[in-house]
Amino acid sequence: MKMYCAIGMIAVSWAQLEDMVSLCISRLLGADHTEFLPIASNMQVKARFDALKAIAGLRLPADEAKALVSRCDEALELGRERNKILHGSWIQGETDDVAIRLNYRAHGRISADAPVISAREIAEISDRITMLTEGFAQTLQRLGLFDPRNPMRNPARGSATEAAKPPEAAD
């Protein structure tokens, strides 16, 4: 049972991360988030991260853009772990907080490697995903583009995206 809960934590934390990335994109574009959601929902996850990295480079000061790109890259790495966990084939281990993941690939190739992982290890990955989500939210909040009490409301529609743009080079 503990394993199922830990695997579920991964699913929930990743969904929240995907939502936050979409929110970051819409806010940095100055778009209404509810109007942007149909677009985001049709984008693969990697495409969302790539889009966020591109728009960060255009709209944010260099240090903020660099931090956001780094956070995106870390999330993509964690995405690989997430995929192994959510799409793996699990066999119960010796106790209810340990399981064995059978590694196999498309076309019937099965590896002899069957790693044992604990619910705690999976929960730690979920915590890392949650921390990334919070980091994205904090970036938006610093830019005046996120109100944690009402996340769907854009606290500075229009003007904040202008304020988030990097200063133009002097002529």
Side-chain angles (χ1 to χ4, degrees):
M1 186 61 147
K2 290 179 183 178
M3 287 302 294
Y4 296 128
C5 290
I7 292 169
M9 287 171 56
I10 290 285
V12 170
S13 62
W14 189 261
Q16 291 171 335
L17 176 62
E18 284 186 27
D19 288 343
M20 182 55 67
V21 168
S22 295
L23 182 67
C24 287
I25 295 168
S26 67
R27 293 289 164 82
L28 290 175
L29 286 173
D32 180 82
H33 186 61
T34 56
E35 292 175 5
F36 180 73
L37 285 175
I39 297 166
S41 68
N42 283 292
M43 295 172 72
Q44 295 290 327
V45 173
K46 184 176 181 327
R48 288 188 216 181
F49 283 110
D50 289 345
L52 180 55
K53 291 191 301 189
I55 191 113
L58 294 171
R59 295 283 175 108
L60 298 178
D63 58 334
E64 286 282 5
K66 183 178 178 182
L68 206 68
V69 167
S70 176
R71 201 170 287 126
C72 288
D73 290 340
E74 184 179 352
L76 287 168
E77 286 295 318
L78 283 173
R80 289 181 187 86
E81 289 301 312
R82 173 250 183 217
N83 289 343
K84 289 178 190 175
I85 292 166
L86 289 184
H87 302 295
S89 180
W90 294 95
I91 296 175
Q92 183 62 53
E94 292 181 22
T95 63
D96 71 343
D97 66 336
V98 175
I100 301 164
R101 186 182 73 235
L102 299 178
N103 288 333
Y104 57 89
R105 297 174 190 240
H107 311 295
R109 292 178 296 192
I110 299 174
S111 77
D113 182 31
V116 174
I117 189 166
S118 71
R120 181 182 175 145
E121 290 171 302
I122 292 174
E124 288 171 357
I125 294 168
S126 178
D127 289 345
R128 288 177 55 202
I129 293 168
T130 298
M131 288 181 357
L132 281 172
T133 303
E134 291 170 2
F136 284 118
Q138 290 168 359
T139 297
L140 286 181
Q141 195 171 359
R142 272 194 310 276
L143 296 169
L145 298 172
F146 182 72
D147 178 357
R149 292 169 293 178
N150 187 356
M152 293 304 287
R153 184 180 74 79
N154 189 344
R157 178 80 191 226
S159 63
T161 55
E162 291 300 315
K165 287 183 182 177
E168 298 298 323
D171 290 332

